[in-house]
Amino acid sequence: MPTAQHTFSRRRFLTTSAAALGFPTIIPATALGKGGRPAPSERITVGAIGWGTIAGDWTPSFLSNPKCQVIAVADPMKEYNHYGYDGKEAGGREAGRKIIDEAYSKAEHKPTKVCTAYADFREMMEKEDLDAVQVSTPDHWHAYMAIYAARKGKHIYGQKPLALNIAEGRRMSDEVAKAGVTWQTGSQQRSDVYFRLACEQVRNGRIGKLKKVRVGLPGGHKNWNGMADQINPAPLPPDFDYEMWLGPAEQMDYRPALLPLNWRHNFNFSGGMITDFGAHHIDIAQWGMGADLTGPVEINNISGKMDAKALYNTASEFTFECVYESGVVMHVASAEHALMPEVAALQADTKKPFDHVGVFFEGEDGKWIYVNRGKIQASNPDILRDKAHEGEVHLYESKDHTDNFLSCIYDGKPTATPIEISHRSISIAHLANIAIRSGSAALKWDPKSETIADNAAASKLLSKEWRKPWAL
């Protein structure tokens, strides 16, 4: 564990090397008595909680940003393969530490050792002088870690989906607001020019009055780690604190089929593709509807294909419709339901076919806008060319999700994806899962009180008790 001398030496090294490269120094704001908000001349110290597929994908955006320095990583796994969307990447705290040190060594043009690895995130937060943390863990840990970090005054970049259930999301949002820390959800589509343009044009009436939104999500159970057939209990990988990995989740034996990443298909740890990708596209739908701080009042025509007794027990196929007070209907479905081809009649003159995944905004007189990652189309190209005028809606513009988070730590302004907005959008995905799991074909939802009317079985699934001794 780092001693006081070790910490001092590392800070002195980072300050010197940062100055040599023209970067701001990393004197922590807490040491300067500035209430957790550093001046732009000071580097933000960051700790990575969890090092798996998502941390491996997104931490490089912190490593390459001169506004911050990643100085620590915490993960109950020491080092293990089968991470990544191809199951061929290394994960665990030592894998993360090596990547972080290698990145800074390359930037410094000499070997550097600036990152400390921990098995327990709490020890990391106690021993390291951190301004911010990046939470890249399975969903069942998001609420506990976010609340823990907020109470310690740490700014938080929390990966999506926001929480494991609606009650956790509400508690997280309230705690972050109470602490006054900066929050950014990893719903990076809000920092994408195509998604912002689509939503801005819809909000400014370029397709007339919005009538319907169609959201296509991936379905199925992806075998990212390549071990989906290994469903029986098995010996633990070396140097892996499985009890710590489970944390507040319900007790389960270790199975290779769940770790890494395939845990997304088990309700003990996640909500399947409905929450995993719904956190992205439902969020964009809410943005385009101007419904960021509310939600539907009814969810109808709900159905899903799932096996509650299987290890992968989340819905592999699903479809549901959300009705808003405005009268707009949002239809969400997995690709297996071929949601996007339903709009074929509206795009008969469009030679490029629609994907099954994406967000389709349907307006009046056959006008529409379709957007997905790397693609935006409209019934008439002029709809996209007629950009927002003075006095019209200009949506929040962020071109770099990580940099937006770091900049907002400095100035205290809201990020592109504040926690309350993310809570509202992911609540819709949670409600769909609640309906499917409780066998409900419809739900009546009050977005103000966040309650389900006249359905005790569904209401019970709004929250989940944490496993002892985990409590906050």
Side-chain angles (χ1 to χ4, degrees), residues 8 42 53 58 184 197 201 273 309 326 331 351 378 397 403 416 427:
F8 171 78
E42 299 154 10
T53 301
W58 278 96
Q184 177 84 295
L197 174 61
Q201 299 304 79
M273 296 308 290
K309 296 181 180 180
S326 64
H331 182 192
K351 295 181 181 179
E397 183 174 2
D403 189 70
S427 289

Side-chain angles (χ1 to χ4, degrees), residues 104-299:
Y104 289 128
S105 294
K106 185 176 181 180
E108 305 284 348
H109 303 292
K110 61 182 179 181
T112 65
K113 293 183 179 180
V114 298
C115 179
T116 306
Y118 296 87
D120 190 325
F121 73 96
R122 296 168 299 180
E123 185 179 13
M124 179 186 77
M125 281 205 261
E126 291 297 329
K127 293 190 175 183
E128 299 289 338
D129 204 344
L130 300 172
D131 295 314
V133 294
Q134 178 197 191
V135 179
S136 305
T137 65
D139 307 357
H140 71 280
W141 262 116
H142 288 183
Y144 191 101
M145 290 177 175
I147 295 167
Y148 189 95
R151 289 182 179 179
K152 289 191 171 294
K154 311 302 181 185
H155 306 291
I156 307 162
Y157 188 109
Q159 290 292 353
K160 42 60 60 184
L162 183 70
L164 188 64
N165 56 60
I166 293 175
E168 287 184 1
R170 168 48 54 214
R171 188 177 178 189
M172 290 168 69
S173 184
D174 291 348
E175 291 273 359
V176 166
K178 181 180 178 181
V181 297
T182 293
W183 174 281
Q184 177 84 295
T185 307
S187 300
Q188 74 274 9
Q189 290 181 175
R190 290 219 179 200
S191 292
D192 180 279
V193 63
Y194 283 166
F195 287 105
R196 178 171 54 81
L197 174 61
C199 293
E200 199 167 84
Q201 299 304 79
V202 171
R203 297 273 289 271
N204 285 315
R206 297 296 186 268
I207 60 173
K209 184 178 180 180
L210 181 63
K211 295 164 53 181
K212 191 166 188 175
V213 185
R214 304 175 192 266
V215 177
L217 306 178
H221 293 140
K222 311 298 182 188
N223 185 20
W224 292 296
N225 69 19
M227 299 184 289
D229 59 333
Q230 299 181 43
I231 62 174
N232 295 322
L236 295 175
D239 298 306
F240 177 37
D241 187 345
Y242 181 61
E243 280 298 307
M244 184 66 188
W245 186 91
L246 277 177
E250 181 181 335
Q251 181 67 47
M252 284 183 66
D253 291 330
Y254 166 77
R255 293 168 170 83
L258 284 175
L259 295 170
L261 200 57
N262 288 11
W263 47 260
R264 287 181 178 178
H265 308 320
N266 185 282
F267 279 123
N268 198 24
F269 313 113
S270 185
M273 296 308 290
I274 292 180
T275 57
D276 182 55
F277 229 91
H280 288 303
H281 283 338
I282 293 175
D283 179 62
I284 293 301
Q286 289 259 110
W287 202 19
M289 285 187 278
D292 272 345
L293 297 177
T294 184
V297 294
E298 294 181 17
I299 303 181

